[in-house]
Amino acid sequence: MQTFGQSHAADDRHDGAPRALGGSIMRGLKSRCPACGEGKLFRAFLKPVDYCASCGEAMHHHRSDDLPPYLAIFIVGHVVVAGYMFGERVVDWTSWQALAFWIPVTLILTVASMQPLKGGVIGLQWALRMHGFGGEDDPLDEVPDESRT
């Protein structure tokens, strides 16, 4: 019988069997548990769940702090600059019109991409068994105390 917080793959967590990298990243991008693909990965906009409600996989020890914003800057920056450069050739806008269009587009794309990118990074960490996803004991991997947040 599976208990809360126990991984559905608890028996083979230490066997080192490869995990599907692409599949786990895609499940994370869809804001689903990278282990089972069923449970929700986030309880708030950028706040992951501590444990998957479906399979019980622990998520509290992930460390995806800085990579998702860097990826968002990289991706959105390329999309916006390419769109701006193409738009300059097609549309004859004044500077104010261009700013009135591209600033909201940049903000919307950045906010919309943050949760999927964070989920993808968590999926990457799960697939590569990083930061406690491999079953190793790490003193930094304690369940967060909800009374301190």
Side-chain angles (χ1 to χ4, degrees), residues 67-107:
L67 185 57
Y70 290 134
L71 292 174
I73 290 168
F74 182 78
I75 294 167
V76 172
H78 279 80
V79 169
V80 168
V81 169
Y84 175 78
M85 298 299 283
F86 179 74
E88 284 294 309
R89 296 181 145 255
V90 176
V91 181
D92 187 26
W93 282 345
T94 66
S95 295
W96 287 107
Q97 289 171 325
L99 286 173
F101 179 77
W102 287 109
I103 289 176
V105 167
T106 303
L107 293 174

Side-chain angles (χ1 to χ4, degrees), residues 26-33 38-42 115-116 119-120:
M26 288 304 296
R27 289 187 292 271
L29 287 171
K30 294 176 185 175
S31 298
R32 294 289 173 199
C33 171
E38 297 295 322
K40 291 183 178 181
L41 187 56
F42 295 97
Q115 189 181 50

Side-chain angles (χ1 to χ4, degrees), residues 60-63 131-132 136-144 148:
H60 61 85
H61 44 62
H62 77 87
R63 292 194 180 90
H131 306 300
E136 71 278 358
D137 292 328
D138 186 349
L140 298 176
D141 292 338
E142 298 176 4
V143 177
R148 290 185 289 174

